[in-house]
Amino acid sequence: MRLVSLLGLPFAAALVGAASFKDCQHKVKESIHGPPRGWYKHAPAPKHHMLELKIALPQPKFPELEQHLWEVSDPSHTRYGAHLSKEETDALMAPHPETLDIVSEWLASHGLAEEDLIRSSANDWVTIHVPVGLAEDMLNTTYHVYKDSKTGESMVRTTSYSLPEILHEHVDLIQPTTMFARFKAFKSSLHWTDLAQPPVSNSPNGTITGPAGNQVDASCNNTVTISCLKQLYNSVGYNTSATNGNQLGLTGYLEQYANNMDLQQFYQLENPSAYGSNYTFVSINGGLNNQSYADAGIEADLDTQFGFGLTWPTPGTFYSTGGEPPFTPDMLSPTDTNEPYSYWLDYVLSQDTLPQTISTSYGDDEQTVPYTYATRVCAGMAALGARGVSVMFSSGDGGVGDGDANPATQECYSNDGRNVTKFLPAFPASCPYVTAVGATINIPETAVFFSGGGFSDYFLRPSYQDAAVSEYLAKLAPGTYEGLYNPYGRAYPDVAAQGYNFLVVYQGNTTYVAGTSCSSPTFASFVSMLNDARISNGKTPLGFLNPFLYSSGYAALNDITEGNNPGCGTEGFNATVGWDPVTGSGTPDFEKLMALVLSMP
């Protein structure tokens, strides 16, 4: 018998529901074999430590939303460009009304009234703040403080939780419970003297012929600037509009603050026309806008300087999202929260208008993110694509390994109790609804050794990349890396861009950075320019890029055929003719891409 909804009823009425749930047998909802390698159980979690639990409710209409995504993103489909509104995506992400009722009744049975709940725009996420003791009662589990033996950082987590059986079909997941994701910026400093690939020597006459046949300053082989990228990727003569409605969005996490003094100094150095311009700052989940030089974030500086510098005067938005999992248990810090993608998604999906292009340079090993959570975050990315947003993610800095940019120190082990050696794909780059960006170096371009790439263990290969990936796999010698990767998984990256020797201004000084953190905002900037061209010509923005890239867009990319991405004690995959899991289908040729996208509906 279905329980009567308690929404809006007096608290006394909740006692009926409370009794019913207490009589209902608990059943394990989610469990993991144990914490990831390097984490150990330190102590019981303090009962009064506050947790912010996020409850994901099922989205029964998601297959319909996904169908919309495929249709509006396919240039050959009659609905191409007919992106959905916020209200339309909300309706397709909404839970069944019965789910809302039953989950509300369960929460009320534990003393949580409607005013204690925070609901997402589509009502598919419910957020509550509860002490560990209450969470343990609700989830029939025991939380512990887990410590990382390398860093000493801690998280309050459990390896298993249960729910009343009646709730299982009405709740997809609850976190933080079993998720030990570290969530890091995909950037690397240039202090790898034993690993760094030497730049090509300057040519005698001071220029190099780029892939488009144009001349590129030879200095670009040692120092990558805005001018270098515009030359290399063939956009020198293109000027974006400040008023056609096009926007570029960049994300910041983990207390990475974009310093405005650094930005203005960078503009003076690399794009004087942009000097004095600014961007829109948006705080999410308490994200700060700390302008102290001492607190400037090199990742945030890199993203804003090159992203907004390349696309100026296109209006830019920087999202600062607060919250990161590690905390110091001795201090009983209240900042032990979820990894922040869900907060960012909650916010942007609740907005009526969004930037047409968004880049993110953060991620983690796929296996540290529970499958249920990864699929829900990925579904949120699909909703962004259906709304016409092109979403780019860095592919990672560990080659085929664990995100450690030094292949010699990588630990590539499965997290399923078997501890077998395996390649470790990155998430969210492995989500089939985003465009993952790998990294190149030098002119002529080759793959840079840290360029993350491989095959998802969670997501099946989407049909849009079947032909390209099958062709690549057919070239591999029989048995190559057998058992180390999933040949049926979503393959990444999709594309690439320069990712080494980027000159940035950081805390008032110029310095060099590298990583796919450079590549993603770079590729996204050229996508933003393409959206600018389409909007100025009365066309819709490109939206989710991958169906276009794999069907025809690849012909307007510079194919990268040399280099590899070592890791896990192997040489990794090789770049080759056509798509490969190091540089995808290649780097942008803006003029070719613009001609192509302006020829589409």
Side-chain angles (χ1 to χ4, degrees):
M1 182 177 72
R2 189 174 79 81
L3 298 174
V4 178
S5 173
L6 296 173
L7 282 173
L9 295 185
F11 179 73
L15 297 178
V16 177
S20 301
F21 280 110
K22 290 187 184 301
D23 293 339
C24 186
Q25 182 179 353
H26 275 66
K27 178 182 176 184
V28 173
K29 176 64 177 177
E30 191 164 10
S31 65
I32 57 175
H33 181 272
R37 191 178 181 88
W39 288 89
Y40 65 93
K41 189 183 292 185
H42 172 66
K47 299 296 182 186
H48 58 282
H49 177 76
M50 294 300 293
L51 292 172
E52 183 171 282
L53 291 182
K54 294 184 75 70
I55 305 166
L57 309 184
Q59 303 166 324
K61 294 184 179 179
F62 179 76
E64 187 179 341
L65 185 149
E66 186 183 40
Q67 185 61 34
H68 281 288
L69 175 67
W70 298 139
E71 292 177 359
V72 302
S73 307
D74 180 359
S76 66
H77 199 280
T78 56
R79 293 191 63 227
Y80 179 68
H83 302 123
L84 304 184
S85 66
K86 170 191 175 294
E87 290 73 22
E88 289 169 328
T89 55
D90 276 356
L92 294 173
M93 298 170 72
H96 192 281
E98 182 182 19
T99 291
L100 293 172
D101 289 350
I102 290 180
V103 171
S104 294
E105 290 163 9
W106 172 63
L107 294 172
S109 76
H110 288 280
L112 295 164
E114 182 63 28
E115 57 264 29
D116 299 318
L117 317 181
I118 302 171
R119 298 187 185 274
S120 64
S121 179
N123 288 322
D124 56 334
W125 288 90
V126 180
T127 303
I128 58 175
H129 294 84
V130 294
V132 164
L134 178 55
E136 290 178 333
D137 183 45
M138 295 172 69
L139 306 180
N140 194 29
T141 190
T142 302
Y143 277 90
H144 284 83
V145 176
Y146 286 86
K147 272 199 165 187
D148 185 324
S149 57
K150 285 185 178 179
T151 67
E153 292 175 323
S154 302
M155 295 185 190
V156 170
R157 294 293 186 267
T158 182
T159 57
S160 176
Y161 68 95
S162 301
L163 291 172
E165 280 196 85
I166 193 173
L167 280 179
H168 274 237
E169 64 179 302
H170 298 289
V171 172
D172 276 350
L173 65 102
I174 300 177
Q175 291 292 351
T177 48
T178 59
M179 183 163 62
F180 287 79
R182 294 298 304 280
F183 191 65
K184 50 188 170 287
F186 284 142
K187 73 170 193 308
S188 310
S189 68
L190 291 188
H191 300 297
W192 318 317
T193 53
D194 56 333
L195 293 170
Q197 302 180 24
V200 173
S201 299
N202 291 351
S203 63
N205 63 359
T207 61
I208 308 166
T209 302
N214 57 330
Q215 295 303 297
V216 180
D217 293 341
S219 62
C220 297
N221 258 327
N222 300 303
T223 301
V224 175
T225 63
I226 284 178
S227 176
C228 289
L229 294 170
K230 287 189 173 183
Q231 293 174 57
L232 178 61
Y233 296 140
N234 204 15
S235 72
V236 171
Y238 187 79
N239 297 310
T240 59
S241 168
T243 58
N244 66 0
N246 189 43
Q247 298 181 56
L248 173 66
L250 302 171
T251 65
Y253 300 93
L254 310 182
E255 299 179 349
Q256 278 283 329
Y257 306 123
N259 187 273
N260 294 333
M261 289 185 290
D262 283 345
L263 179 63
Q264 296 305 322
Q265 187 177 336
F266 175 85
Y267 282 161
Q268 285 182 308
L269 184 67
E270 297 198 22
N271 189 355
S273 298
Y275 181 71
S277 66
N278 210 332
Y279 55 87
T280 299
F281 174 85
V282 174
S283 171
I284 301 171
N285 191 42
L288 301 179
N289 187 16
N290 188 335
Q291 289 300 309
S292 164
Y293 254 149
D295 293 311
I298 195 166
E299 173 63 48
D301 274 0
L302 162 69
D303 288 345
T304 52
Q305 288 170 23
F306 274 87
F308 298 147
L310 278 165
T311 58
W312 181 86
T314 295
T317 298
F318 181 76
Y319 300 98
S320 177
T321 303
E324 61 179 305
F327 82 116
T328 305
D330 297 333
M331 296 172 60
L332 298 180
S333 166
T335 59
D336 179 48
T337 60
N338 295 285
E339 75 63 49
Y341 281 136
S342 59
Y343 297 105
W344 179 77
L345 277 170
D346 275 357
Y347 175 84
V348 293
L349 288 172
S350 71
Q351 302 304 298
D352 290 325
T353 59
L354 293 169
Q356 293 85 349
T357 312
I358 299 177
S359 172
T360 297
S361 296
Y362 301 76
D364 210 337
D365 300 342
E366 186 183 70
Q367 69 171 2
T368 67
V369 182
Y371 172 77
T372 53
Y373 187 89
T375 55
R376 279 304 295 261
V377 167
C378 195
M381 302 300 176
L384 284 176
R387 288 185 59 181
V389 181
S390 301
V391 181
M392 257 68 59
F393 275 88
S394 299
S395 70
D397 286 354
V400 294
D402 68 349
D404 187 336
N406 184 343
T409 58
Q410 290 180 352
E411 294 185 350
C412 302
Y413 300 100
S414 65
N415 194 31
D416 56 4
R418 297 182 301 146
N419 283 330
V420 297
T421 300
K422 67 185 291 289
F423 293 165
L424 298 178
F427 179 82
S430 64
C431 170
Y433 310 123
V434 307
T435 300
V437 187
T440 62
I441 186 174
N442 293 331
I443 307 165
E445 290 183 277
T446 64
V448 70
F449 68 91
F450 55 71
S451 184
F455 301 80
S456 173
D457 290 320
Y458 285 177
F459 303 103
L460 291 174
R461 183 195 309 157
S463 59
Y464 62 71
Q465 64 174 189
D466 261 340
V469 175
S470 296
E471 183 178 337
Y472 177 83
L473 292 173
K475 297 175 185 175
L476 293 179
T480 300
Y481 302 144
E482 188 172 352
L484 294 181
Y485 73 98
N486 171 26
Y488 307 104
R490 184 284 206 257
Y492 75 97
D494 304 294
V495 292
Q498 287 275 314
Y500 206 87
N501 277 358
F502 275 50
L503 184 67
V504 301
V505 175
Y506 173 57
Q507 296 181 345
N509 299 302
T510 57
T511 188
Y512 291 91
V513 294
T516 51
S517 280
C518 302
S519 320
S520 185
T522 295
F523 195 92
S525 294
F526 287 92
V527 173
S528 181
M529 294 182 211
L530 295 173
N531 277 328
D532 177 86
R534 279 183 60 87
I535 292 169
S536 291
N537 280 271
K539 296 176 181 288
T540 58
L542 292 165
F544 177 44
L545 295 169
N546 293 6
F548 157 66
L549 289 172
Y550 283 90
S551 62
S552 60
Y554 68 89
L557 300 177
N558 307 310
D559 192 10
I560 310 303
T561 60
E562 294 184 17
N564 60 298
N565 57 353
C568 304
T570 74
E571 291 301 306
F573 296 107
N574 291 320
T576 187
V577 174
W579 180 90
D580 56 70
V582 192
T583 59
S585 295
T587 61
D589 183 323
F590 178 74
E591 286 198 0
K592 286 184 179 178
L593 284 165
M594 183 169 62
L596 194 53
V597 301
L598 291 182
S599 71
M600 300 189 317

